[in-house]
Amino acid sequence: MEKNILTGIKPTGQLTLGNYLGVLKNLHEMMDRGNCYIFIADLHALTLPIDPEVLRNNSRDIAAFYLAAGLDPNRCALFLQSDVSAHAELNAIMQNYMYMGELSRMTQFKDISSKIAAKSDAKDAHIGLGIFTYPVLMACDIVLYDADIVPVGEDQKQHVELARDLVVRFNHKYGDILKMPYPEVRKVGARIMSLSDPSKKMSKSDPKGDIFLKDDLAVVRKKIMSAVTDTGSEVKYDKENKPGISNLLTIYAVTKNMSIEDAEAHFVGYRYGDFKREVADAVCEDLGAFQERYRKIIESKEYERVLKEGAEKARVVANKTLKRVKEAVGLLTL
Ligand code: ATP
Ligand code: LTN
């Protein structure tokens, strides 16, 4: 039977080269592998303060980015999480089956809440409930579509593991109701690091060292040319001792669809400067074509129809799961 593949992306900021290489570039392969559900996790974006107009624009952008990256709306469902009410409904049920202890052990929650708590201004130091219960909603996103495979970056693996715990717990109590999902973290490009500090993930909420997908190509080139490198002069993949060079090699390999070994072999004898120039050429060529497609999609508003039709397809599947769960726990479905 065909596998169900589900992934979500939070519209909290400008997408980065990390999102592009880690997720968007794998769309083709993903559609070949199974039934794909791809959604914009806009409810998750509300877990930290965000300006309404920024949220709206980010959501539109993400839809257009997915289409520009080659997503075929006839072969998958692309939709807004908030447009399929079953996510929020299932969340209201599932929050009773996850525990405060396990949620408080989540790395993302610990990181974010400690940052908020450390804020100097006490009035900004409130930690919303949503960031704490984030993994409950995420588990609902996953089980609603009977997802077999959940492609995520390394940082989100822990949340998918928790969704698996929930499935075991729920099914143990009510029978075989929920499907068991598997997190899938890609090897190459799974974690693109910051260009200014290669010990940190390139992340849209930490914009230093980022390349944004909407950056001017001249800016992209400049950022790559001034990326932090390491001591020594050899272009070699060695994450421990050469994190900066290893990151640039990863970026090159994923951009060119080649293995790290092949990329390394290609750069034997190169100096850092020439190496960076070639990485910049590769990224700019790829990103330039991508940006052109994105602009056309935004102008034509093609994303609106795609999102509406995607939500219709998603609702059919999600509502079936929701009904199964409601019946299992004893809610009357009339
Ligand atoms: P934030 O910093 O706000 O957590 P993010 O940049 O990590 O945001 P998400 O919306 O959390 O982005 O993630 C979207 C998808 O992109 C996820 O699958 C995530 O793991 C992946 N991703 C994010 N950053 C990177 C990165 N630097 N390298 C590879 N994949 C990434
Ligand atoms: N938490 C994820 C986004 C996300 C997601 C999901 C990913 C929300 N729900 C379900 C996979 C499956 C993130 O921050 N990247």
Side-chain angles (χ1 to χ4, degrees):
M1 226 174 57
E2 245 201 338
K3 298 270 186 217
N4 294 327
I5 306 173
L6 170 127
T7 196
I9 187 155
K10 237 180 346 180
T12 43
Q14 291 294 316
L15 288 205
T16 70
L17 191 69
N19 299 125
Y20 180 62
L21 299 180
V23 179
L24 293 177
K25 260 185 104 69
N26 292 296
L27 284 176
H28 277 290
E29 189 221 339
M30 202 160 106
M31 286 186 298
D32 288 342
R33 289 174 59 207
N35 245 329
C36 292
Y37 298 91
I38 301 174
F39 70 96
I40 299 166
D42 51 359
L43 291 173
H44 275 112
L46 292 174
T47 54
L48 290 175
I50 186 163
D51 179 85
E53 198 49 34
V54 170
L55 175 54
R56 268 189 289 273
N57 281 332
N58 287 347
S59 297
R60 288 186 194 109
D61 266 356
I62 289 182
F65 282 144
Y66 269 110
L67 294 171
L71 182 124
D72 177 355
N74 297 316
R75 294 177 63 203
C76 67
L78 176 70
F79 58 96
L80 291 161
Q81 182 186 30
S82 62
D83 203 16
V84 179
S85 56
H87 289 252
E89 289 182 60
L90 190 64
N91 186 49
I93 298 175
M94 287 305 169
Q95 62 184 350
N96 302 301
Y97 301 89
M98 275 190 170
Y99 305 142
M100 309 262 288
E102 58 194 1
L103 292 174
S104 58
R105 281 193 293 275
M106 292 293 106
T107 308
Q108 178 176 288
F109 172 70
K110 285 198 286 191
D111 286 354
I112 294 178
S113 57
S114 62
K115 269 191 208 154
I116 297 175
K119 286 204 172 160
S120 50
D121 195 342
K123 80 175 180 359
D124 292 333
H126 295 295
I127 300 165
L129 198 54
I131 195 66
F132 181 64
T133 58
Y134 188 108
V136 182
L137 181 58
M138 182 159 161
C140 295
D141 302 336
I142 295 171
V143 298
L144 271 177
Y145 301 93
D146 288 336
D148 297 288
I149 303 170
V150 185
V152 282
E154 231 164 57
D155 58 315
Q156 293 297 315
K157 197 171 164 211
Q158 198 185 26
H159 291 162
V160 184
E161 300 290 355
L162 201 59
R164 287 169 57 79
D165 293 343
L166 174 74
V167 169
V168 171
R169 189 173 301 154
F170 195 87
N171 286 352
H172 181 72
K173 196 164 163 106
Y174 298 108
D176 199 12
I177 307 288
L178 304 175
K179 183 100 162 258
M180 182 60 79
Y182 287 88
E184 186 178 83
V185 181
R186 281 163 307 280
K187 300 271 184 309
V188 177
R191 206 170 159 85
I192 303 294
M193 310 308 275
S194 158
L195 295 179
S196 61
D197 178 358
S199 68
K200 283 206 200 127
K201 187 181 87 145
M202 184 183 282
S203 156
K204 57 181 144 62
S205 39
D206 178 19
K208 263 197 296 156
D210 255 337
I211 288 180
F212 294 108
L213 294 186
K214 292 211 286 192
D215 273 350
D216 223 58
L217 293 185
V219 174
V220 172
R221 183 171 292 279
K222 199 161 159 218
K223 286 183 177 173
I224 294 178
M225 292 310 290
S226 52
V228 167
T229 45
D230 316 293
T231 49
S233 58
E234 215 185 343
V235 178
K236 217 174 156 336
Y237 189 84
D238 177 351
K239 256 175 131 172
E240 282 272 294
N241 301 308
K242 287 178 169 271
I245 294 295
S246 302
N247 189 35
L248 289 171
L249 265 172
T250 306
I251 290 175
Y252 183 84
V254 183
T255 301
K256 290 283 208 183
N257 270 322
M258 56 164 71
S259 66
I260 295 279
E261 291 77 20
D262 287 349
E264 216 177 15
H266 175 78
F267 288 113
V268 168
Y270 269 63
R271 286 165 186 278
Y272 282 175
D274 294 332
F275 163 59
K276 281 178 165 179
R277 201 160 298 120
E278 233 176 269
V279 175
D281 287 345
V283 171
C284 287
E285 191 188 325
D286 198 42
L287 215 53
F290 173 78
Q291 289 179 344
E292 192 49 43
R293 293 193 294 274
Y294 159 82
R295 272 192 286 272
K296 286 196 178 130
I297 294 161
I298 285 287
E299 271 164 29
S300 69
K301 295 199 172 162
E302 181 193 334
Y303 59 87
E304 286 188 359
R305 179 185 56 84
V306 171
L307 288 175
K308 276 188 195 154
E309 289 176 9
E312 273 166 33
K313 277 195 251 178
R315 271 183 218 120
V316 174
V317 182
N319 286 339
K320 268 193 202 148
T321 310
L322 180 63
K323 184 155 189 266
R324 219 161 62 221
V325 170
K326 280 177 150 182
E327 282 166 357
V329 300
L331 298 174
L332 280 178
T333 54
L334 305 172

